[in-house]
Amino acid sequence: MYLIDIILIGIYVIGLTGLILNKNNIINILIISELNLGTLGMLYVLASVELNDILGELSGLYILTFTAAESAIGLAIVVILYSKTGIINIRHLNKLKG
């Protein structure tokens, strides 16, 4: 195992810890999920380079594309939530119904 793999696994564990400990702020949840998915994408790419497999690199690109789409949709929801309630809190998401 290389040093970069250990660093990326450490970053992923830090992201999971942040996701477990912080459940109220939507912006922090989006940033942490972006961090975790980006780390997983990098691990896929590094493993595929090491194994000389193109499917891992394609999986990494798919994960990065999914991360960008998830971030854009999440930020749109945050903007709508803030315009309706004036507060960015995950407990106020039920006010967006209907």
Side-chain angles (χ1 to χ4, degrees), residues 15-84:
L16 282 181
T17 305
L19 192 63
I20 291 170
L21 294 178
N22 187 9
K23 296 180 182 175
N24 291 333
N25 195 347
I26 298 174
I27 300 289
N28 286 345
I29 291 172
L30 285 173
I31 291 171
I32 291 168
S33 66
E34 187 86 21
L35 176 76
N36 282 345
L37 288 173
T39 305
L40 284 177
M42 286 296 294
L43 282 171
Y44 268 107
V45 169
L46 287 174
S48 70
V49 167
E50 189 173 327
L51 297 173
N52 199 14
D53 185 19
I54 192 72
L55 289 178
E57 293 177 18
L58 291 176
S59 297
L61 285 174
Y62 179 74
I63 289 172
L64 290 176
T65 305
F66 177 77
T67 304
E70 175 254 340
S71 176
I73 292 171
L75 286 175
I77 291 172
V78 167
V79 167
I80 292 171
L81 179 67
Y82 185 74
S83 68
K84 289 211 178 225

Side-chain angles (χ1 to χ4, degrees), residues 26 77 81 84-85 89-98:
I26 298 174
I77 291 172
L81 179 67
K84 289 211 178 225
T85 63
N89 195 344
I90 202 161
R91 294 186 179 142
H92 295 284
L93 276 177
N94 59 358
K95 293 181 180 176
L96 293 179
K97 292 181 182 175

